[in-house]
Amino acid sequence: RVISPQCLVIFGASGDLTHRKLIPALFELYLQRRIPSEFGIVGCARRPWTDNEFREKMKVKLSNKISGKETEWEQFSNYLFYEPVDLQQSDHVVRLSKRLNEIDKKQATHGNRTFYLSVSPNFYASGCKALKEAGLLDDPKKSRLVIEKPFGRDYSSAKKLNKIVQSCAEENQIYRIDHYLGKETVQNILVLRFANTIFEPIWNRNYISSVQITSSETVGVEDRAGYYESSGALRDMLQNHMTQMLAVTAMEPPGKFEPEAIRNEKAKVLQASKLADENEPWNCCIRGQYGEGGNISNQLKGYRQEDGVNSNSTTETYIATKVFVDNWRWQGVPFYLRTGKRLPKRLGEIVLTFKDVPVHLFESTIINPAPNQLILRIQPNEGATFKFEVKSPGSGMKSRPVEMEFSYDESFGEPSDEGYVRLLADAMLSDPTLFTRSDEVEAAWKLYTPLIELMDNSPWKLPIYNYESMTWGPPESDQLLSKDNIFWRRP
Ligand code: BG6
């Protein structure tokens, strides 16, 4: 669908996210001819740039993506404007409001606006208030507010932030973004489950013995130490992306494919979720921090040696935990979640392991035959694999596991859009389906409260284990599963 005429106003336009994700996503939408001629993108940050400087900076940053599409970029860059704004200064916001009126006239965007807060989370509340005070959020049909993660630092701060944001805008104007929900493969979980008959009847505690959700990265903290030091893997990945994947995997079928119906089901799953051991949470969580590693040609620094990181830092770059979804469908099925930086592979996947057959009639050709598994590959090589047993050729009746593959690339021949392409378009089209509602965000924080309290009050009870860069996290994380007689999948 073509985006409706409007101005997209990006606060934090000099930051990483703008040139790494937002402008590339908007350029992609332009190439897909989904940006109307009545459109404007207004970058705002404290730097005193001009429109032309902003255009030039973006051009340099996106040079790889622009290469071969220079003419299209030149046309696209006419949509880019820049206004120096410090959201803490009310006169800046008033000036912005005037500038937006001018751009509205020039671009014929009729006061229709999406405000994107890509600023430090410390400024979400004051930023919303500033926009509200300037009257920029007054018309719920014409103004939308997109807020990046992390939304809050814990349950109580998320609740407080929700209250403030909801006092500035109506809930249906607020789009809390979690870019994992924009990933094709995360949305595919819904289609796989609810557009086929064969999965739903077995998608429950009667057939599934455990679920593993992994998001691993090879990169380290990069140049984001300032943010990451006060965040860590729990707040950066577990509470949001990982937990949203859990919600989509575990939710009940919605009555309709409508935003509120879907968000109701996700919220219900999160409200029913709890740590496997809430009273002694150290039994169901392992934290780690990467040390040095790599090889002779690529020596990698440990986290504490990275620029901007405290040399005694106790920020976790790896976290693994065990969660139960305490409802009729999932009672007793462990969900193991793990995420970390500087692991050997960039990978996102959800592994559903089915229960073993009641009687083994056949001998297996492998030493440890695994039960059936359905592996949903979120990234890379998006798709799914189903592992099942077949007869091994030749005399006798031995069984052997094989894999049935579905790959997005092979079936559809074109790479999927980045999550931000989908989500930016949806927000600008006022479709909140793939955005997290206030109750979901709060429930996700509540789930991890026992861990956050430990980390904040008695961190020694939740030690940080060191792991060598480019290994699968601290060895202790294996024990989280081996206690239950299972193992992390090592793809
Ligand atoms: C972001 C986190 O939300 O997600 C980053 O802040 C992380 O630390 C990134 O690297 C991972 O996203 P993706 O899409 O590359 O898996």
Side-chain angles (χ1 to χ4, degrees), residues 20-21 149 179-180 183 215 217 219 222 224 227-228 236-237 240-241 341 346 379:
R20 275 176 52 186
K21 301 285 184 186
K149 62 145 258 268
H179 80 276
Y180 265 58
K183 292 186 192 276
S215 178
E217 300 182 87
V219 291
E222 299 177 288
R224 297 164 72 221
Y227 150 76
Y228 200 83
D236 185 48
M237 294 286 293
N240 37 73
H241 307 327
K341 292 195 184 286
R346 175 171 185 256
Q379 62 193 21

Side-chain angles (χ1 to χ4, degrees), residues 443-454:
W445 279 118
K446 201 169 184 183
L447 166 60
Y448 300 111
T449 297
L451 292 179
I452 293 173
E453 280 176 355
L454 265 192

Side-chain angles (χ1 to χ4, degrees), residues 236-253:
D236 185 48
M237 294 286 293
L238 181 66
Q239 182 272 344
N240 37 73
H241 307 327
M242 307 293 293
T243 307
Q244 284 297 322
M245 287 198 276
L246 178 147
V248 175
T249 307
M251 68 187 255
E252 294 299 315

